[in-house]
């Protein structure tokens, strides 16, 4: 353990002496400084540019290294190192916030002097390595000083995740949320309450049939119904997969994945072409039965319909792992005790699926509340929080205050859903994967239940199939909905390739490559951070765990528009300047999608019996080895879900990305949205079709790589005799 | 712009931000027009590497606001003039110093009321459009005037954007006020509101819905309607008989631009007759601001449309805007179901 601290401190000191402290004009990771011979390390800045405020950082490393050499008592040594590291971190962060070349300056007037006022550029690679070294020196020392269970791996992971969430979620989001409390330039709680409890937000008029409700109430009703609906459908699918001998499982599996890999707006557009006033289905019914062609699709029901199509797969992804995990032995026990299949399902299997159901509902609820594309296309006069927030920021009358207040309303709803979910789950144990042998035969469903599952899931699947045939069809016709003569023009314009000159000539290639590379980098990072967080939440006990759990959900619950604008406000200026780079896109994806990894991880991990960990630890493994050799192999579906979801979301996310894309790093969705705005549906849909196929291929490859979790020798369903 | 290498994946990972010798352009018009401008500009100024991204005006204004003090954008080209005027008012843009000689009056006017911070590059008239198929099927006579829209025959057939979120709809509101006087305007808007099926968030949505027959009649900018019609939709634009207002698309240099010289060259280029004559090539039928630029035959002829003398200074100011929108909410918006 002493060696670990020693290594981190040495690394920090080296980077303080050798690596450039500030960001260079050419960028964060440019290695230009190696060649041009002008050192700009922290030490150099202190000596040559009189940046005296960097001295504490350097001193912290030197002092704590000396402590390692000269203090022999382990606990005392750890405690002193801990104190020095905390001071070093504090001093480094403070100087970064106070002394900046432009942009907002924290604690103005705290320090004065000419060099301070001139400011400094953003932090570079040197500063980053120094901060990380100090952080780990801190966490490792903390684990040795008698707190944090003495496990350096666990303490360091907690410290790292908290720091990352603080820097990349709280720090930016504060920039906007604070506006909700701002009255004439100063902060005030009194100003906030009347704004927040305004009937414009929470109006209940629609319930008494007198006009429309406020956007918050609309969002709440919509999200509750979507959460419940998608969870029920997702459960139906999961049950069909695991508890029936349904023949076309493979096809069904692909259908359940399709909606998540669909770029925004596309489902809405397809629904308009099917069920809009001049849609194919509407025309058919008008012709056959003389039904009046109406605009029912535009409003609550249209948005709900589109969300059910879009978000059921997320519920399914969370539930499938959990439903598979329910051990057959408890079901056998139930049947041995003379329960019939319905009783077994109702009183044994279903309660054990609670973590999955609760997490699926929460995800569906949050997704629905944050959904922006569907309400925009199909909302009509039905206004929800996410679109209202978007237009409070980019509309004809931009009002950051209104956006902030609405965002707080949205967060309140999410927080309440989160609390309710916690209460419902309670403190029961849902562990069913215990490592003990069982027959591997899950109880089949009773006939009524099986019929209900088929009756709900199969029409949904059929509708999905129709919607996607429409999309593929739309990309091959001249003018979707009007001129249905066959053409390849859209594909050629978007993805043309000149074989004679060996050049990509299509207009979409640029953003296509950017999107794929950014998604490929972001997905594994998201999965690692998400699952690590889930591990901490399920398996470790530490102070402030509930707050920590909610804070990891925050970035997901904050609407994308708010995230996008707050990222510009926070990361366009020193100390962290990332706008216009690809890093900011990767970061926004990682922290926005990590909650899915967390939720899926929690659901899967709460089924793993703790005795498995304990057995591993008893046999002499440390917690890192336990995670790697015992927990990870049992987490296949959760890893798969996290990877798939984050990869796909990085490709299909829209509202946050609009603000963060730049000419060098443009993304597919911003390209598609631009085309849709201009009414060029053909090329937008052709691009979407290519993206869907790309993602489908990627998912199949992932599935091949990760493989199927082997819980028992055979995964059979009890014959339904 | 089009340099794409197979190793682009590698290059993308490098976290390079803006280079000083690049020109960073945000384009708020149609993608095809943006692309044409960039390649034509790079042809003329081979030493300047243009980095262009397309974002809508609202998104661009929000970004420019958030980046104030350390902007990553040099020049903002295209998009309706109101947000450009707001940026000028808030000190987010700076005078380009490019001469406005040879431009039409409305373009010069834009420059005058913004302290030379933004210049007009094209204009588009506000108009009504109807879907010929839908109206024929329902046996509804097409509209010719704003006041026709108050008629009961259009019940549930009209779609228009919400002025709180859409600049297009705000232009419509301001046009009504200037045409009919404020009180009369709100009476008219409220009675048209009886026929409106929904107030969309986005300004371009109503005409797209009308093109597909999801609504019978829409209000929007005429050049967008012409474009939809040339794509093959049965959409017919109508210049209202009472007269109509218009938008002016603008170009601004962002305050604190890293490459001011390049940005100035871009503005000069964008105002030249040569490049303005080429916009019909990419299906853009707005009216160019340079008096000597050629106008496409499909372009709505502003000479034959009765254009009002739109007062951008008054109706672009935040005070008037706030007051009119409040009144709109109370007298028109609140009655929407």
């Amino acid at each position: 353990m002493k060696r670990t601290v020693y290594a981190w401190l040495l690394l920090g000191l080296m980077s303080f002496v050798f690596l450039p402290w500030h960001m260079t004009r050419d960028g964060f990771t440019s290695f230009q400084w190696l060649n041009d011979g002008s050192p700009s390390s922290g030490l150099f800045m202190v000596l040559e540019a009189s940046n005296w405020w960097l001295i504490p950082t350097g001193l912290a490393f030197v002092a704590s290294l000396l402590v390692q050499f000269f203090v022999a008592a382990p606990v005392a040594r750890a405690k002193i190192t801990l104190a020095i590291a905390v001071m070093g971190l504090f001093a480094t962060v403070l100087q970064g916030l106070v002394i900046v070349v432009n942009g907002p300056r924290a604690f103005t007037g705290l320090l004065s002097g000419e060099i301070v006022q001139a400011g400094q550029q953003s932090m570079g690679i040197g500063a980053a390595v120094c901060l990380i070294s100090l952080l780990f020196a801190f966490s490792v020392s903390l684990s040795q000083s008698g707190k944090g269970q003495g496990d350096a791996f666990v303490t360091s992971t907690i410290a790292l995740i908290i720091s990352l969430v603080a820097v990349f979620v709280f720090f930016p989001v504060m920039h906007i949320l604070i506006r909700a409390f701002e009255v004439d330039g100063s902060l005030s709680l009194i100003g906030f309450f009347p704004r927040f409890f305004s009937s414009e937000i929470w109006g209940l008029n629609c319930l008494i049939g007198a006009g429309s409700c406020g956007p918050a109430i609309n969002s709440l009703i919509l999200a509750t119904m979507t959460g419940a609906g998608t969870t029920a459908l997702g459960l139906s699918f999961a049950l069909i997969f695991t508890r029936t001998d349904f023949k076309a499982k493979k096809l069904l599996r692909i259908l359940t994945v399709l909606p998540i890999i669909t770029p925004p707006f596309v489902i809405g557009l397809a629904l308009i072409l099917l069920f809009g006033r001049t849609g194919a289905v509407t025309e058919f019914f008008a012709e056959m039965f003389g039904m009046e062609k109406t605009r029912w699709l535009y409003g609550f029901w249209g948005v709900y319909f589109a969300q059910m199509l879009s978000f059921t797969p997320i519920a399914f992804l969370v539930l499938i792992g959990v439903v598979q995990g329910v051990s057959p032995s408890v079901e056998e026990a139930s049947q041995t005790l003379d329960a019939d299949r319905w009783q077994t399902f109702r009183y044994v299997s279903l309660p054990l699926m609670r973590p999955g159901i609760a997490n699926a509902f929460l995800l569906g609820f949050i997704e629905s509340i944050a959904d922006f594309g569907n309400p925009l296309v199909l909302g009509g006069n039905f206004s929800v929080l996410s679109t209202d927030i978007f237009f409070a920021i980019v509309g004809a009358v931009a009002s950051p205050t209104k956006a902030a207040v609405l965002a707080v309303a949205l967060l309140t709803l999410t927080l309440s859903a989160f609390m309710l979910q916690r209460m419902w789950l309670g403190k029961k144990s849902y562990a069913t994967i215990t490592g003990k042998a069982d027959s591997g035969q899950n109880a089949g469903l009773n006939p009524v239940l099986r019929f209900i599952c088929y009756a709900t899931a199969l029409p949904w699947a059929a509708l999905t199939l129709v919607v996607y045939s429409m999309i593929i069809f739309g990309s091959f016709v001249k003018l979707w909905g009007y001129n249905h003569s066959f053409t390849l023009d859209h594909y050629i314009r978007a993805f043309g390739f000149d074989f004679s000159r060996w050049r990509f000539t299509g207009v979409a290639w640029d953003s296509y490559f950017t999107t794929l590379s950014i998604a490929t980098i972001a997905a594994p990072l998201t999965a690692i951070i998400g699952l690590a967080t889930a591990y901490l939440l399920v398996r470790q006990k530490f102070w402030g765990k509930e707050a920590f759990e909610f804070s990891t959900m925050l970035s997901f619950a904050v609407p994308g528009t708010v995230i996008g604008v707050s990222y510009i406000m926070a990361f366009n200026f020193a100390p962290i300047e990332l706008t216009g780079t690809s890093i900011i896109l990767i970061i926004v994806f990682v922290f926005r999608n990590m909650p899915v990894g967390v939720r899926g991880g929690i659901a899967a991990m709460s089924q793993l019996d703790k005795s498995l960990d304990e057995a591993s630890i008893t046999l002499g493994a440390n917690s890192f080895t336990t995670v790697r050799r015992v927990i990870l192999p049992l987490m296949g579906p959760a890893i798969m879900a996290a990877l798939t979801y984050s990869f796909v979301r990085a490709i299909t996310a829209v509202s946050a990305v609009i603000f963060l894309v730049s000419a060098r790093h443009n993304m597919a969705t911003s390209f598609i949205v631009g085309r849709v705005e201009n009414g060029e549906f053909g090329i937008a849909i052709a691009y979407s079709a290519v993206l869907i196929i790309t993602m489908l291929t990627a998912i199949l490859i992932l599935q091949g790589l990760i493989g199927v979790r082997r819980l028992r020798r055979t995964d059979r369903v009890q014959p339904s005799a | 712009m089009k340099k794409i290498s197979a190793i682009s994946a590698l290059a993308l990972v490098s976290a390079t931000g803006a280079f000083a010798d690049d020109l960073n352009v945000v384009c708020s018009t149609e993608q095809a027009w943006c692309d044409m401008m960039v390649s034509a500009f790079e042809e003329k100024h081979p030493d300047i590497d243009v980095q262009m991204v397309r974002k809508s005006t609202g998104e661009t204004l929000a970004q420019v606001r958030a980046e104030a003090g350390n902007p990553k954008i040099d020049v903002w080209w295209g998009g309706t003039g109101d947000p450009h005027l707001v940026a000028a008012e808030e000190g987010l843009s700076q005078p380009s110093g490019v001469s406005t000689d040879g431009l039409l009056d409305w373009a010069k006017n834009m420059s005058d009321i913004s302290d030379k911070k933004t210049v007009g590059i094209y204009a588009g008239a506000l108009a009504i459009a109807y879907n010929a198929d839908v109206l024929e099927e329902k046996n509804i006579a097409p509209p010719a005037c704003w006041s026709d829209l108050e008629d009961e025959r259009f019940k549930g057939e009209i779609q228009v954007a919400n002025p709180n979120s859409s600049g297009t709809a705000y232009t419509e509101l301001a046009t009504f006020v200037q045409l009919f006087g404020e009180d009369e305007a709100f009476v008219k808007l409220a009675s048209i509101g009886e026929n409106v099926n929904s107030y969309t968030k986005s300004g371009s949505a109503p005409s797209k819905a009308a093109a597909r027959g999801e609504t019978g009649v829409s209000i929007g900018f005429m050049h967008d309607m012409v474009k939809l019609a040339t794509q093959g939709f049965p959409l017919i634009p109508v210049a209202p008989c009472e007269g109509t207002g218009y938008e002016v698309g603008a170009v601004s240099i962002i305050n604190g631009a890293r490459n001011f010289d390049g940005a100035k060259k871009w503005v000069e280029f964008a105002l030249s007759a040569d490049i303005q004559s080429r916009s019909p090539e990419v299906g853009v039928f707005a009216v160019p601001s340079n008096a000597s630029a050629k106008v496409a035959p499909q372009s709505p002829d502003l000479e034959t449309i009765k254009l009002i003398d739109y007062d951008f200074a008054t109706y672009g100011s935040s005070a008037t805007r706030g007051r009119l929108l409040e009144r709109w909410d109370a007298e028109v918006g609140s009655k929407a179901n």
Side-chain angles (χ1 to χ4, degrees), chain A residues 160-507:
Chain A
L160 182 67
I161 291 175
I162 290 181
S163 316
L164 287 174
V165 169
V167 173
F168 293 114
V169 180
F170 280 103
F171 176 63
V173 167
M174 282 319 290
H175 279 81
I176 282 223
L177 290 193
I178 208 151
R179 297 284 184 98
F181 299 91
E182 221 170 56
V183 181
D184 303 326
S186 58
L187 297 182
S188 146
L189 263 183
I190 302 160
F192 170 71
F193 285 108
R195 280 184 206 158
F196 182 71
F197 291 107
S198 132
S199 64
E200 273 174 38
I201 300 179
W202 301 97
L204 288 166
N205 284 342
C206 61
L207 299 184
I208 52 171
S212 49
C213 279
I217 298 297
N218 284 343
S219 282
L220 178 64
I221 297 172
L222 179 69
T224 311
M225 284 184 60
T226 304
T230 54
T231 307
L233 264 176
L235 187 62
S236 289
F237 272 103
L239 289 174
I240 291 179
F241 269 95
T242 52
R243 308 290 158 100
T244 68
D245 41 13
F246 186 68
K247 294 289 176 291
K249 280 187 187 173
K250 283 239 166 71
L251 177 71
L252 212 55
R253 175 91 210 196
I254 289 178
L255 282 183
T256 57
V257 177
L258 272 177
I260 346 179
I261 60 174
T262 307
F265 303 107
V266 175
I267 290 188
L269 284 177
L271 286 181
I272 290 179
L273 288 181
L274 283 170
F275 300 100
R277 197 172 69 163
T278 49
V281 175
T282 315
E283 295 274 2
F284 176 78
F285 276 97
E287 215 128 284
M288 296 299 286
F289 311 106
M291 281 165 74
E292 206 193 334
K293 293 190 255 180
T294 61
R295 295 173 40 87
W296 69 271
L297 191 66
Y298 300 91
F300 173 83
W301 291 107
V303 179
Y304 178 63
F305 192 29
Q307 289 193 340
M308 288 292 286
L309 277 178
S310 312
F311 303 140
T312 297
I314 297 164
F316 171 72
L317 274 182
V318 173
L319 282 163
I320 182 81
V322 176
V323 172
Q324 271 175 353
V326 172
S327 167
S329 50
V330 289
E331 291 176 349
E332 277 167 14
S334 158
Q335 287 183 326
T336 314
L337 293 169
D338 214 19
D340 64 22
R341 285 186 180 191
W342 166 248
Q343 286 168 325
T344 303
F345 178 77
R346 171 68 186 81
Y347 297 104
V348 177
S349 314
L350 195 59
L352 283 171
M353 294 170 191
R354 268 191 173 201
I357 293 172
N359 281 300
F361 178 82
L362 189 62
L363 277 181
F365 185 90
I366 295 176
E367 279 277 6
S368 160
I369 264 195
D371 179 27
F372 165 75
N374 292 320
L376 191 70
V377 177
L378 298 171
N381 288 335
F382 178 74
S383 64
V384 292
L385 287 173
S386 56
T387 48
D388 276 22
I389 290 170
F390 180 76
F391 284 100
I393 287 176
V394 310
V397 224
S399 161
T401 310
K402 186 179 166 200
V405 173
L406 290 172
V408 173
L410 196 148
L411 281 178
T412 313
L413 292 181
T414 314
L415 180 62
S416 317
F418 176 76
M419 304 285 238
L420 279 177
Q421 185 236 22
R422 295 299 302 259
M423 276 161 55
W424 191 62
L425 277 184
K427 295 217 179 297
K428 297 193 190 81
S429 161
Y430 298 97
T432 56
I433 300 177
T434 53
K436 299 181 186 97
D438 56 49
S439 76
Q441 281 194 330
N442 273 122
L445 294 176
N446 80 329
V448 177
L449 196 60
R450 194 169 63 222
F451 177 76
I452 294 175
C453 283
Y454 283 158
T456 47
L458 295 185
W460 182 94
L463 188 63
T464 309
L465 201 61
V466 172
V467 166
Y468 283 87
S469 327
M470 289 287 292
I471 292 169
I472 299 292
F473 171 76
S475 68
F476 284 109
V477 297
K478 283 220 169 79
L479 197 58
W480 201 16
Y482 264 87
N483 181 351
H484 288 168
S485 46
F486 177 82
T487 179
L488 281 174
D489 277 0
H490 306 310
Y491 285 99
I492 293 170
R493 269 184 63 205
F495 295 100
F497 189 83
D498 187 343
F499 284 99
S500 60
R501 286 184 300 149
W502 207 248
R503 270 182 66 137
F504 297 99
T505 51
V507 289

Side-chain angles (χ1 to χ4, degrees), chain B residues 116-300:
Chain B
K116 316 283 177 199
K117 286 179 185 164
T118 185
V119 193
I121 45 178
Y122 61 85
L126 194 70
I128 307 170
Y130 64 90
N131 184 309
D133 293 357
V134 170
L135 291 202
E136 194 183 349
E137 191 185 324
K138 300 209 159 200
N139 218 351
I140 301 174
C145 303
W146 292 123
S147 52
D148 287 348
L149 300 181
E150 297 173 66
D151 193 275
E152 217 165 79
R153 69 178 191 267
F154 293 110
K155 184 102 195 146
E157 287 297 336
I158 300 173
Q159 202 170 97
V160 56
N162 186 326
N164 286 302
S165 59
S166 146
T168 310
Y170 179 74
T171 308
E172 181 218 346
L173 172 57
T175 299
F176 268 61
V177 172
Q178 292 171 73
L179 264 178
F180 305 112
E182 193 170 319
D183 292 329
E184 175 69 14
F186 280 103
V187 172
K188 273 193 170 342
L189 285 169
S191 70
I192 291 176
E194 298 283 311
N195 295 333
V196 167
N197 55 42
S198 73
Y199 290 102
T200 62
K201 299 273 183 197
S202 139
S204 59
S207 292
K208 272 180 251 158
R212 297 199 166 274
E214 294 298 305
T215 185
V217 179
S218 71
I219 298 174
F221 286 117
M222 200 175 230
H223 51 100
D224 296 333
M225 299 164 176
V226 173
K227 178 160 180 137
L228 285 163
T230 53
Q231 283 178 1
F233 290 109
L235 192 71
I236 316 260
V238 176
C241 67
E242 295 101 334
T244 189
Y246 59 96
E247 65 155 354
V248 172
V251 59
S252 310
I253 299 182
I254 303 304
N255 201 359
R258 295 180 184 202
N259 187 353
F260 181 79
D261 294 340
K264 192 176 167 183
K265 283 190 184 127
W266 177 277
V267 175
E268 274 167 7
F269 177 75
L271 294 176
S272 67
D274 287 356
I275 191 66
Q276 290 197 353
S277 308
R278 286 182 59 192
S279 51
E281 283 174 26
V282 285
V284 171
F285 303 107
V287 178
S289 70
N290 192 312
S292 25
K294 284 197 289 286
V295 182
Q298 297 98 320
S299 290

Side-chain angles (χ1 to χ4, degrees), chain A residues 277-278 293 295 298 381 388 391 394 397 479-480 517 572 577 579 582 658 661 664 675-677, chain B residues 12 15 19 22 31 51 54-55 58-59 65 70 72 137 157 199 201 208 212 214 231 234 325:
Chain A
R277 197 172 69 163
T278 49
K293 293 190 255 180
R295 295 173 40 87
Y298 300 91
N381 288 335
D388 276 22
F391 284 100
V394 310
V397 224
L479 197 58
W480 201 16
S517 30
N572 190 49
E577 191 175 336
T579 45
S582 51
I658 289 176
V661 295
R664 274 174 205 285
R675 297 299 169 131
V676 169
E677 270 175 22
Chain B
L12 288 163
F19 291 99
D22 284 350
Q31 187 77 44
Q51 297 291 330
R54 190 204 164 277
K55 293 182 188 189
E59 288 151 15
R65 273 198 185 116
N70 188 18
K72 301 286 155 72
E137 191 185 324
E157 287 297 336
Y199 290 102
K201 299 273 183 197
K208 272 180 251 158
R212 297 199 166 274
E214 294 298 305
Q231 283 178 1
L325 285 174

Side-chain angles (χ1 to χ4, degrees), chain A residues 24 50 66 77 84 217 269 303 371 412 434 481 503 512 519 536 594 608 624 639:
Chain A
T24 49
S50 359
L66 290 178
R77 186 175 64 216
I84 298 176
I217 298 297
L269 284 177
V303 179
D371 179 27
T412 313
T434 53
R503 270 182 66 137
Y512 182 73
L536 295 177
M594 122 190 196
L608 303 184
F624 178 70
I639 298 173

Side-chain angles (χ1 to χ4, degrees), chain A residues 344 380 558 602:
Chain A
T344 303
V558 176
I602 287 180

